[in-house]
Amino acid sequence: MNHIDICSESIEKIKNIIAENQTFVITAHHNSDGDAVGSSTAVAEVLRQMGKTVKVILPNDFPSFFRWMIGANEIVTFDRHTKDAQAFLEKTDVLICLDFNQISRVDKLEPVLADWNKKCIVIDHHLGLQIQADAIVSVPEASSTCELVYRVLTLCGYESFITKDVAESIYTGIMTDTGRLDYSSSYAGVYEVVGKLIEKGVDKVSVHDKIYNVYTYNRLCLQATILKENMVYIPEYHAVYMTISLKNQKDYSFQLGDSEGFVNIPLSMKDVKFCAMFTEYENGIVKVSLRSKRDFPASDFAAQYYSGGGHFNAAGGKFQGSLQDAVKVFKEGLEVYKEKLQK
Ligand code: 5GP
Ligand code: MN
Protein backbone atom coordinates (compact mmCIF):
# COMPACT_ATOMS: atom_id res chain seq x y z
CA MET A 1 0.00 0.00 0.00
CA ASN A 2 1.46 3.29 -1.07
CA HIS A 3 -1.51 5.48 -1.43
CA ILE A 4 -4.53 6.57 0.63
CA ASP A 5 -7.71 6.84 -1.43
CA ILE A 6 -10.57 9.05 -0.33
CA CYS A 7 -13.66 8.84 -2.50
CA SER A 8 -14.64 12.05 -4.23
CA GLU A 9 -18.30 11.51 -3.32
CA SER A 10 -17.47 11.82 0.41
CA ILE A 11 -15.48 14.98 -0.28
CA GLU A 12 -18.41 16.52 -2.20
CA LYS A 13 -20.77 15.66 0.66
CA ILE A 14 -18.43 17.19 3.26
CA LYS A 15 -18.03 20.36 1.21
CA ASN A 16 -21.80 20.72 0.83
CA ILE A 17 -22.49 20.12 4.51
CA ILE A 18 -19.90 22.75 5.47
CA ALA A 19 -21.19 25.25 2.91
CA GLU A 20 -24.84 24.85 3.92
CA ASN A 21 -24.46 25.01 7.72
CA GLN A 22 -23.23 27.49 10.31
CA THR A 23 -22.82 25.78 13.69
CA PHE A 24 -20.54 22.81 14.30
CA VAL A 25 -19.58 20.58 17.22
CA ILE A 26 -16.46 18.47 16.93
CA THR A 27 -15.92 15.48 19.16
CA ALA A 28 -13.39 12.65 19.55
CA HIS A 29 -12.88 9.60 21.73
CA HIS A 30 -12.78 9.42 25.54
CA ASN A 31 -9.26 9.90 26.99
CA SER A 32 -8.30 11.86 23.89
CA ASP A 33 -4.77 11.37 22.62
CA GLY A 34 -2.59 13.46 20.27
CA ASP A 35 -4.51 12.32 17.21
CA ALA A 36 -7.90 13.10 18.76
CA VAL A 37 -6.92 16.54 20.13
CA GLY A 38 -4.81 17.32 17.03
CA SER A 39 -7.55 16.50 14.52
CA SER A 40 -10.25 18.27 16.58
CA THR A 41 -8.30 21.49 17.04
CA ALA A 42 -7.19 21.51 13.38
CA VAL A 43 -10.70 21.10 11.97
CA ALA A 44 -12.12 23.60 14.48
CA GLU A 45 -9.58 26.26 13.54
CA VAL A 46 -10.19 25.81 9.79
CA LEU A 47 -13.95 26.14 10.29
CA ARG A 48 -13.45 29.23 12.48
CA GLN A 49 -11.37 30.84 9.75
CA MET A 50 -14.28 30.14 7.39
CA GLY A 51 -16.54 32.16 9.69
CA LYS A 52 -18.34 29.21 11.27
CA THR A 53 -19.37 28.90 14.90
CA VAL A 54 -17.51 25.90 16.33
CA LYS A 55 -17.06 24.12 19.64
CA VAL A 56 -14.87 21.14 20.41
CA ILE A 57 -16.59 18.99 23.03
CA LEU A 58 -14.50 16.07 24.28
CA PRO A 59 -15.89 13.39 26.62
CA ASN A 60 -13.32 14.13 29.35
CA ASP A 61 -10.06 15.91 30.05
CA PHE A 62 -6.93 15.36 27.95
CA PRO A 63 -3.19 15.46 28.82
CA SER A 64 -1.82 18.92 29.62
CA PHE A 65 1.01 18.47 27.08
CA PHE A 66 -1.56 19.02 24.29
CA ARG A 67 -2.82 22.33 25.73
CA TRP A 68 -0.54 24.42 23.52
CA MET A 69 -2.52 23.53 20.40
CA ILE A 70 -4.59 26.23 18.73
CA GLY A 71 -7.97 26.60 20.50
CA ALA A 72 -7.18 23.82 23.01
CA ASN A 73 -7.99 26.11 25.94
CA GLU A 74 -11.55 26.57 24.63
CA ILE A 75 -12.25 22.82 24.50
CA VAL A 76 -15.30 21.88 26.59
CA THR A 77 -15.15 18.63 28.55
CA PHE A 78 -18.55 16.94 28.60
CA ASP A 79 -18.15 15.19 31.97
CA ARG A 80 -17.46 18.49 33.80
CA HIS A 81 -19.52 20.94 31.74
CA THR A 82 -22.47 18.77 30.73
CA LYS A 83 -25.15 21.52 30.81
CA ASP A 84 -23.13 24.03 28.73
CA ALA A 85 -22.22 21.31 26.26
CA GLN A 86 -25.82 20.10 25.94
CA ALA A 87 -27.06 23.66 25.38
CA PHE A 88 -24.56 24.15 22.59
CA LEU A 89 -25.33 20.76 21.05
CA GLU A 90 -29.01 21.70 20.90
CA LYS A 91 -28.34 24.68 18.65
CA THR A 92 -25.73 22.86 16.57
CA ASP A 93 -26.34 21.98 12.91
CA VAL A 94 -23.51 19.52 12.34
CA LEU A 95 -21.62 17.02 14.48
CA ILE A 96 -18.13 16.04 13.33
CA CYS A 97 -16.83 12.77 14.84
CA LEU A 98 -13.07 12.31 14.69
CA ASP A 99 -10.81 9.37 15.54
CA PHE A 100 -13.34 6.78 16.77
CA ASN A 101 -15.33 3.97 15.19
CA GLN A 102 -18.09 3.21 17.71
CA ILE A 103 -20.27 5.58 19.72
CA SER A 104 -19.38 3.71 22.93
CA ARG A 105 -15.91 5.30 22.56
CA VAL A 106 -17.26 8.72 23.62
CA ASP A 107 -18.37 7.46 27.04
CA LYS A 108 -20.97 9.82 28.58
CA LEU A 109 -21.57 11.50 25.22
CA GLU A 110 -22.85 8.20 23.81
CA PRO A 111 -26.59 8.98 24.30
CA VAL A 112 -26.12 12.31 22.49
CA LEU A 113 -24.62 10.54 19.50
CA ALA A 114 -27.19 7.73 19.62
CA ASP A 115 -30.04 10.29 19.40
CA TRP A 116 -28.34 12.68 16.94
CA ASN A 117 -30.78 13.44 14.10
CA LYS A 118 -29.01 16.36 12.43
CA LYS A 119 -26.07 16.30 10.03
CA CYS A 120 -23.03 14.20 10.92
CA ILE A 121 -19.56 13.80 9.41
CA VAL A 122 -17.13 11.01 10.43
CA ILE A 123 -13.38 10.92 9.75
CA ASP A 124 -11.59 7.92 11.26
CA HIS A 125 -8.89 5.28 10.78
CA HIS A 126 -9.97 2.45 13.10
CA LEU A 127 -11.02 -1.01 11.91
CA GLY A 128 -14.74 -1.73 11.64
CA LEU A 129 -16.57 1.61 11.61
CA GLN A 130 -20.01 1.35 13.20
CA ILE A 131 -21.23 4.96 13.13
CA GLN A 132 -23.89 6.17 10.73
CA ALA A 133 -23.31 9.56 9.15
CA ASP A 134 -24.13 11.76 6.15
CA ALA A 135 -20.49 11.80 5.04
CA ILE A 136 -17.88 9.23 6.03
CA VAL A 137 -14.13 9.03 5.50
CA SER A 138 -13.00 5.75 7.08
CA VAL A 139 -9.54 4.52 6.06
CA PRO A 140 -8.02 1.93 8.44
CA GLU A 141 -4.78 1.89 6.42
CA ALA A 142 -4.11 5.55 7.24
CA SER A 143 -1.48 6.41 9.85
CA SER A 144 -3.83 8.65 11.77
CA THR A 145 -7.04 10.63 11.67
CA CYS A 146 -4.84 13.73 11.41
CA GLU A 147 -3.40 12.50 8.11
CA LEU A 148 -6.95 11.96 6.84
CA VAL A 149 -7.93 15.43 8.05
CA TYR A 150 -5.03 16.93 6.09
CA ARG A 151 -6.13 15.03 2.98
CA VAL A 152 -9.80 15.94 3.39
CA LEU A 153 -9.01 19.63 3.93
CA THR A 154 -6.83 19.82 0.82
CA LEU A 155 -9.26 17.78 -1.32
CA CYS A 156 -12.05 20.14 -0.23
CA GLY A 157 -9.93 23.07 -1.43
CA TYR A 158 -9.34 24.51 2.05
CA GLU A 159 -5.54 24.32 1.90
CA SER A 160 -5.13 28.05 2.45
CA PHE A 161 -6.70 27.65 5.91
CA ILE A 162 -3.95 25.23 6.96
CA THR A 163 -1.88 27.79 8.81
CA LYS A 164 1.24 26.94 10.81
CA ASP A 165 -0.94 26.37 13.92
CA VAL A 166 -3.30 24.01 12.10
CA ALA A 167 -0.32 22.20 10.57
CA GLU A 168 1.23 21.72 14.04
CA SER A 169 -1.99 20.15 15.36
CA ILE A 170 -2.12 17.78 12.37
CA TYR A 171 1.59 16.98 12.66
CA THR A 172 1.13 16.10 16.35
CA GLY A 173 -1.54 13.49 15.55
CA ILE A 174 0.63 11.86 12.89
CA MET A 175 3.69 11.73 15.18
CA THR A 176 1.87 10.45 18.26
CA ASP A 177 -0.21 7.80 16.44
CA THR A 178 2.82 6.40 14.59
CA GLY A 179 5.28 6.52 17.51
CA ARG A 180 7.27 9.21 15.64
CA LEU A 181 6.89 7.37 12.31
CA ASP A 182 7.82 3.99 13.76
CA TYR A 183 4.61 1.98 13.11
CA SER A 184 1.58 2.43 10.77
CA SER A 185 3.75 4.50 8.44
CA SER A 186 5.26 2.15 5.88
CA TYR A 187 3.96 4.01 2.82
CA ALA A 188 5.18 7.05 0.98
CA GLY A 189 1.96 9.06 1.38
CA VAL A 190 2.44 9.73 5.08
CA TYR A 191 5.90 11.24 4.43
CA GLU A 192 4.46 13.40 1.66
CA VAL A 193 1.92 14.80 4.12
CA VAL A 194 4.59 15.38 6.78
CA GLY A 195 6.67 17.18 4.13
CA LYS A 196 3.73 19.45 3.24
CA LEU A 197 3.17 20.21 6.93
CA ILE A 198 6.83 21.16 7.39
CA GLU A 199 6.43 23.46 4.36
CA LYS A 200 3.49 25.05 6.17
CA GLY A 201 5.92 26.07 8.90
CA VAL A 202 5.71 23.29 11.51
CA ASP A 203 8.51 23.84 14.00
CA LYS A 204 9.43 20.19 14.49
CA VAL A 205 11.89 20.73 17.34
CA SER A 206 9.49 22.90 19.28
CA VAL A 207 6.51 20.55 18.77
CA HIS A 208 8.55 17.52 19.89
CA ASP A 209 9.76 19.50 22.91
CA LYS A 210 6.17 20.35 23.86
CA ILE A 211 4.94 16.74 23.57
CA TYR A 212 7.87 14.55 24.51
CA ASN A 213 10.18 16.59 26.72
CA VAL A 214 7.71 17.69 29.36
CA TYR A 215 7.67 14.72 31.71
CA THR A 216 7.98 15.17 35.45
CA TYR A 217 10.55 13.43 37.63
CA ASN A 218 7.66 11.44 39.14
CA ARG A 219 6.65 10.21 35.70
CA LEU A 220 10.08 8.74 35.07
CA CYS A 221 10.12 7.15 38.55
CA LEU A 222 6.71 5.60 37.83
CA GLN A 223 8.06 4.18 34.56
CA ALA A 224 11.10 2.75 36.37
CA THR A 225 8.90 1.14 39.05
CA ILE A 226 6.47 -0.36 36.54
CA LEU A 227 9.30 -1.86 34.46
CA LYS A 228 11.22 -3.16 37.46
CA GLU A 229 8.42 -4.36 39.72
CA ASN A 230 5.25 -4.78 37.67
CA MET A 231 6.45 -6.15 34.35
CA VAL A 232 6.04 -9.88 33.73
CA TYR A 233 7.71 -11.61 30.79
CA ILE A 234 6.17 -14.90 29.64
CA PRO A 235 8.76 -16.27 27.19
CA GLU A 236 6.74 -19.33 26.11
CA TYR A 237 4.09 -17.00 24.65
CA HIS A 238 6.47 -14.23 23.53
CA ALA A 239 4.33 -11.94 25.66
CA VAL A 240 4.71 -9.34 28.39
CA TYR A 241 2.18 -7.70 30.66
CA MET A 242 2.41 -4.77 33.06
CA THR A 243 0.05 -3.42 35.69
CA ILE A 244 -0.40 0.07 37.11
CA SER A 245 -2.33 0.00 40.37
CA LEU A 246 -4.08 2.91 42.04
CA LYS A 247 -1.32 2.78 44.66
CA ASN A 248 1.38 3.16 41.97
CA GLN A 249 -0.54 6.17 40.66
CA LYS A 250 -0.83 7.71 44.12
CA ASP A 251 2.84 7.07 44.96
CA TYR A 252 3.95 9.08 41.93
CA SER A 253 1.20 11.76 41.84
CA PHE A 254 -0.10 10.37 38.56
CA GLN A 255 -1.26 12.92 36.01
CA LEU A 256 -3.28 12.25 32.86
CA GLY A 257 -0.92 11.06 30.11
CA ASP A 258 1.85 9.92 32.47
CA SER A 259 1.68 6.30 31.28
CA GLU A 260 1.57 7.26 27.59
CA GLY A 261 3.96 5.00 25.68
CA PHE A 262 4.69 2.53 28.50
CA VAL A 263 2.94 -0.32 26.68
CA ASN A 264 5.29 -0.02 23.70
CA ILE A 265 8.49 -0.43 25.70
CA PRO A 266 8.48 -4.25 26.10
CA LEU A 267 8.07 -4.67 22.33
CA SER A 268 11.69 -3.55 22.06
CA MET A 269 12.67 -6.96 23.45
CA LYS A 270 13.77 -9.20 20.59
CA ASP A 271 11.43 -12.09 21.27
CA VAL A 272 8.36 -10.21 22.43
CA LYS A 273 5.42 -10.19 20.06
CA PHE A 274 2.57 -9.06 22.28
CA CYS A 275 2.31 -6.70 25.23
CA ALA A 276 -0.53 -5.68 27.52
CA MET A 277 -0.80 -2.91 30.07
CA PHE A 278 -3.54 -2.91 32.71
CA THR A 279 -4.36 0.32 34.50
CA GLU A 280 -6.59 0.33 37.57
CA TYR A 281 -9.32 2.99 37.79
CA GLU A 282 -11.25 4.26 40.83
CA ASN A 283 -14.58 2.94 39.52
CA GLY A 284 -13.58 -0.74 39.54
CA ILE A 285 -12.70 -0.71 35.86
CA VAL A 286 -9.36 -1.75 34.44
CA LYS A 287 -8.26 0.01 31.25
CA VAL A 288 -6.50 -2.40 28.90
CA SER A 289 -3.90 -1.39 26.31
CA LEU A 290 -2.58 -3.96 23.85
CA ARG A 291 0.29 -3.73 21.37
CA SER A 292 1.62 -6.37 18.99
CA LYS A 293 4.20 -6.91 16.29
CA ARG A 294 3.68 -8.14 12.74
CA ASP A 295 0.86 -10.68 12.24
CA PHE A 296 -0.50 -10.88 15.79
CA PRO A 297 -4.02 -9.36 15.89
CA ALA A 298 -4.17 -7.18 19.01
CA SER A 299 -7.56 -5.84 17.82
CA ASP A 300 -9.11 -9.34 17.79
CA PHE A 301 -7.73 -10.06 21.26
CA ALA A 302 -9.15 -6.75 22.55
CA ALA A 303 -12.57 -7.48 21.05
CA GLN A 304 -12.65 -11.07 22.32
CA TYR A 305 -11.55 -10.49 25.92
CA TYR A 306 -11.99 -6.81 26.76
CA SER A 307 -15.04 -5.54 24.76
CA GLY A 308 -12.68 -3.34 22.79
CA GLY A 309 -11.00 -2.91 19.45
CA GLY A 310 -8.78 -0.42 17.65
CA HIS A 311 -6.05 -1.17 15.14
CA PHE A 312 -4.53 -4.51 14.16
CA ASN A 313 -1.32 -3.89 16.17
CA ALA A 314 -2.58 -1.30 18.71
CA ALA A 315 -5.86 -1.87 20.46
CA GLY A 316 -7.57 -1.37 23.78
CA GLY A 317 -10.56 -2.22 25.87
CA LYS A 318 -11.98 -2.37 29.38
CA PHE A 319 -12.35 -4.97 32.09
CA GLN A 320 -14.80 -4.83 34.99
CA GLY A 321 -13.00 -6.26 38.01
CA SER A 322 -9.61 -6.39 39.68
CA LEU A 323 -6.17 -6.10 38.07
CA GLN A 324 -5.52 -9.72 39.01
CA ASP A 325 -8.67 -10.91 37.22
CA ALA A 326 -7.85 -8.83 34.13
CA VAL A 327 -4.43 -10.51 34.06
CA LYS A 328 -6.02 -13.94 34.55
CA VAL A 329 -8.19 -13.38 31.47
CA PHE A 330 -5.08 -12.25 29.58
CA LYS A 331 -3.24 -15.46 30.42
CA GLU A 332 -6.25 -17.54 29.33
CA GLY A 333 -6.25 -15.61 26.06
CA LEU A 334 -2.54 -16.30 25.55
CA GLU A 335 -3.22 -20.01 25.73
CA VAL A 336 -6.01 -19.69 23.15
CA TYR A 337 -3.78 -17.62 20.84
CA LYS A 338 -0.73 -19.83 21.53
CA GLU A 339 -0.19 -20.92 17.96
CA LYS A 340 -0.18 -17.38 16.57
CA LEU A 341 2.13 -16.19 19.35
CA GLN A 342 4.61 -19.01 18.96
CA LYS A 343 4.87 -18.71 15.19
P1 5GP B 1 -4.61 2.90 23.81
O1 5GP B 1 -4.02 1.61 24.24
O2 5GP B 1 -3.55 3.84 23.32
O3 5GP B 1 -5.56 3.49 24.78
O4 5GP B 1 -5.50 2.56 22.53
C1 5GP B 1 -4.96 1.90 21.42
C2 5GP B 1 -5.99 1.89 20.31
O5 5GP B 1 -7.13 1.12 20.68
C3 5GP B 1 -6.52 3.26 19.95
O6 5GP B 1 -6.65 3.31 18.56
C4 5GP B 1 -7.86 3.35 20.61
O7 5GP B 1 -8.73 4.13 19.88
C5 5GP B 1 -8.31 1.88 20.65
N1 5GP B 1 -9.04 1.63 21.91
C6 5GP B 1 -8.60 1.87 23.16
N2 5GP B 1 -9.54 1.53 24.07
C7 5GP B 1 -10.60 1.06 23.37
C8 5GP B 1 -11.89 0.56 23.75
O8 5GP B 1 -12.27 0.49 24.93
N3 5GP B 1 -12.72 0.19 22.72
C9 5GP B 1 -12.33 0.26 21.41
N4 5GP B 1 -13.21 -0.13 20.47
N5 5GP B 1 -11.14 0.73 21.03
C10 5GP B 1 -10.28 1.12 21.99
MN1 MN C 1 -5.91 7.84 15.93
Side-chain angles (χ1 to χ4, degrees), residues 16-243:
N16 288 338
I17 293 171
I18 290 176
E20 288 162 9
N21 292 280
Q22 177 55 33
T23 318
F24 294 77
V25 161
I26 297 167
T27 193
H29 62 80
H30 180 248
N31 289 344
S32 292
D33 57 7
D35 197 27
V37 182
S39 54
S40 303
T41 53
V43 174
E45 174 58 18
V46 167
L47 291 172
R48 278 189 200 111
Q49 288 181 48
M50 296 170 85
K52 308 289 182 183
T53 308
V54 194
K55 227 179 233 337
V56 177
I57 301 178
L58 296 179
N60 63 334
D61 204 5
F62 55 92
S64 56
F65 46 82
F66 297 133
R67 285 243 165 243
W68 55 269
M69 286 191 220
I70 180 97
N73 284 325
E74 280 86 61
I75 290 176
V76 175
T77 46
F78 190 77
D79 60 346
R80 288 206 205 141
H81 304 281
T82 314
K83 286 233 157 70
D84 287 353
Q86 275 167 338
F88 197 84
L89 280 157
E90 252 164 54
K91 50 183 191 183
T92 291
D93 304 319
V94 183
L95 181 63
I96 303 182
C97 299
L98 300 175
D99 202 33
F100 62 97
N101 56 350
Q102 306 167 346
I103 57 172
S104 61
R105 295 283 291 129
V106 293
D107 204 42
K108 294 200 172 71
L109 260 164
E110 183 176 348
V112 174
L113 270 65
D115 294 343
W116 190 256
N117 54 12
K118 293 180 274 180
K119 292 282 178 212
C120 183
I121 297 172
V122 171
I123 305 177
D124 180 50
H125 71 132
H126 292 93
L127 291 164
L129 183 81
Q130 290 174 25
I131 309 172
Q132 287 176 355
D134 301 282
I136 294 176
V137 173
S138 166
V139 187
E141 299 80 28
S143 66
S144 53
T145 297
C146 274
E147 181 192 340
L148 293 175
V149 160
Y150 175 86
R151 293 180 183 282
V152 168
L153 292 174
T154 49
L155 289 168
C156 284
Y158 305 150
E159 195 177 343
S160 62
F161 299 115
I162 305 178
T163 55
K164 177 185 181 215
D165 290 331
V166 172
E168 290 195 339
S169 283
I170 295 174
Y171 177 85
T172 297
I174 298 176
M175 285 303 135
T176 52
D177 256 29
T178 60
R180 304 187 216 188
L181 298 172
D182 184 357
Y183 32 83
S184 312
S185 52
S186 302
Y187 57 99
V190 65
Y191 298 87
E192 284 160 19
V193 172
V194 169
K196 297 277 185 202
L197 294 169
I198 300 285
E199 273 174 18
K200 290 277 183 189
V202 168
D203 184 340
K204 179 176 179 250
V205 174
S206 146
V207 171
H208 285 233
D209 256 349
K210 286 185 278 197
I211 314 170
Y212 298 116
N213 302 332
V214 287
Y215 296 146
T216 57
Y217 177 71
N218 265 331
R219 193 266 186 203
L220 262 71
C221 293
L222 172 69
Q223 180 173 325
T225 301
I226 299 305
L227 292 178
K228 192 154 191 319
E229 294 173 14
N230 297 9
M231 181 176 84
V232 179
Y233 175 34
I234 316 176
E236 60 270 36
Y237 295 123
H238 303 285
V240 167
Y241 72 86
M242 299 180 291
T243 53

